[in-house]
Amino acid sequence: MTGSATVRVLRDRTAGLFLTAVVVSGFGTSAMWLAAGVWVKSLTGSDSLAALAVFAMWLPVLAGPALGTIADRIEGRKLLVGSNLVMAGLLASLTTVDSAGRIWILFAVLVLYGASSVLMGAAESALVAGAVDARLLGDFNGLRMVAGEGMKLLAPLAGAGLYARFGGGAVALLDAASFALAAGVCALLPAAEPAEAPRTGRRGELTAGVRQVWGSPVLRPLVLAGSVTMLCAGLNGAAVYAVVDKGLGHAPTYAGVLYAVQGAGSVVVGVLAGPLLRRLGERVFAAAGIALFAVAVGARALPYDAVALAASAAVGIGLPCVLIAAMTAVQRDTPESVLGRTAATANTLMMVPNAVALALGAGLIALVDIRVLLPLVGAATLLTAALLVTGRRGRLTDAPTGPAPSSAEA
């Protein structure tokens, strides 16, 4: 069943091209994410500016609803090809960044990098929803997770080696080439004109995605559960070096081992996501993943290597479940005319708490022992899973909600 659905997704021309583009561009993106902070640190000597480099790529997520509006107004293939080509050109310009005085160029490109990611993600959701069988959307989103996480396992090593040998400009050129290749792949996608949406004024267009998420008894609980889970994920992520140092007694580089195991877990759940969504439905699938993530976070407080490795694998398996479930529901249940805005809004609502929690967690771990903090975070996440799966009795949504239909029922 799993193999059959996977083959059907891969045989779909649109889905196959998208997954190819994710692999191609994802390799360069993963390498660049690692190199950006190192590049800033080497030119400025500032740890704060190095951390700000990653934040610059996150910042445009806040503008998700506005960027989603653009995606709903421009034909998807043209938008994807154009965005990829623009990013290829911008990244190539980073070869001029060779001193602290030119570091502003890198930050400007990183902000535009984040904006293009949001824009292309919204366009992709709209195109995929119109081209892929609704029963296979979960399989597609799972395979997309496999492609993205697979690149995260491979590309950082290549990026680190390239940076060490040739510097940041070489990594930027690698990423530029990956965007150029992705543009070529996207050019092969079928054209699909954006659906005509009723004009509601500028404010109405910007808030259409929010209204769609908040007004849907299917989307609202999933997105809210995703927001809380990603908040807890940020706190968990901020504590990883404290776990490695104070909990396990290893050098900071051991965090790379934990991240690799976590990535492998995400690849596993990506392969299984489609069949599990059809069997369980979005809510139960998401709640099960959140519960597994919660137990894993609490277990990280234990000072044992075997437990830490198992917990990292469980985090990798559990955390993506609510994201896959929410995006599948968005693609399946949202009108085409507002799909770009709704996808971007859902992404904003789920990802911004993660960025906030990373900053908050950096302060908390200095004040609260991880043996106390991590079990508390795990308990809060477990409560989120319970409220999601209990439906209308939970506080995550006050609107009457029944069980979410499974992908097979769509």
Side-chain angles (χ1 to χ4, degrees):
M1 181 71 171
T2 302
S4 175
T6 300
V7 170
R8 288 173 64 190
V9 171
L10 294 176
R11 283 181 176 174
D12 182 277
R13 185 169 182 269
T14 300
L17 288 171
F18 268 126
L19 292 172
T20 301
V22 169
V23 170
V24 170
S25 64
F27 187 89
T29 295
S30 296
M32 190 64 195
W33 270 76
L34 172 68
V38 179
W39 197 352
V40 172
K41 169 69 174 176
S42 66
L43 289 178
T44 66
S46 170
D47 290 326
S48 298
L49 286 176
L52 194 60
V54 177
F55 179 74
M57 300 175 82
W58 273 95
L59 185 62
V61 174
L62 293 171
L67 293 170
T69 301
I70 298 173
D72 282 332
R73 294 286 175 256
I74 301 176
E75 193 271 313
R77 183 181 63 176
K78 293 179 181 177
L79 181 57
L80 288 169
V81 172
S83 296
N84 276 294
L85 289 177
V86 168
M87 284 310 306
L90 289 172
L91 284 161
S93 74
L94 292 183
T95 55
T96 63
V97 179
D98 55 6
S99 65
R102 292 186 172 181
I103 204 70
W104 66 270
I105 300 174
L106 175 57
F107 277 103
V109 171
L110 291 178
V111 170
L112 293 173
Y113 202 124
S116 72
S117 296
V118 175
L119 191 60
M120 288 191 285
E124 175 192 306
S125 292
L127 279 173
V128 167
V132 177
D133 188 328
R135 292 170 295 180
L136 299 177
L137 286 172
D139 298 273
F140 171 82
N141 289 319
L143 289 174
R144 194 190 190 291
M145 177 70 66
V146 170
E149 292 300 321
M151 290 305 98
K152 289 179 183 177
L153 292 175
L154 300 175
L157 294 176
L162 194 61
Y163 182 90
R165 181 68 179 85
F166 299 106
V171 181
L173 287 176
L174 170 67
D175 202 6
S178 74
F179 272 107
L181 287 173
V185 173
C186 290
L188 301 175
L189 290 167
E193 289 299 324
E196 189 65 31
R199 298 290 177 175
T200 57
R202 180 172 298 180
R203 182 177 179 182
E205 290 193 8
L206 290 175
T207 59
V210 175
R211 294 198 306 273
Q212 180 66 28
V213 169
W214 195 251
S216 169
V218 174
L219 301 184
R220 180 167 61 170
L222 285 170
V223 172
L224 286 177
S227 297
V228 177
T229 303
M230 293 308 293
L231 179 74
C232 294
L235 295 174
N236 171 66
V240 66
Y241 288 105
V243 168
V244 169
D245 178 21
K246 299 177 182 177
L248 303 176
H250 290 301
T253 52
Y254 190 74
V257 176
L258 299 183
Y259 280 129
V261 173
Q262 181 176 325
S266 295
V267 169
V268 171
V269 78
V271 173
L272 299 176
L276 289 175
L277 276 168
R278 280 188 291 276
R279 179 177 293 273
L280 302 175
E282 280 93 350
R283 275 209 189 189
V284 176
F285 174 70
I290 294 170
L292 178 61
F293 169 73
V295 172
V297 171
R300 277 185 157 174
L302 299 175
Y304 306 109
D305 281 6
V307 173
L309 292 170
S312 292
V315 167
I317 294 171
L319 183 59
C321 291
V322 67
L323 303 178
I324 294 173
M327 193 51 60
T328 300
V330 166
Q331 292 166 344
R332 191 199 63 217
D333 294 334
T334 304
E336 184 182 353
S337 60
V338 294
L339 183 50
R341 278 166 285 184
T342 304
T345 298
N347 186 60
T348 294
L349 292 173
M350 291 189 289
M351 293 298 112
V352 168
N354 183 259
V356 171
L358 283 169
L360 178 64
L364 278 177
I365 59 174
L367 301 174
V368 183
D369 193 300
I370 58 170
R371 292 172 295 182
V372 176
L373 177 63
L374 290 175
L376 288 175
V377 172
T381 316
L382 196 60
L383 177 61
T384 302
L387 293 176
L388 176 62
V389 81
T390 54
R392 57 187 172 189
R393 294 191 300 275
R395 295 182 181 177
L396 283 174
T397 174
D398 54 13
T401 60
S406 69
S407 297
E409 296 169 341

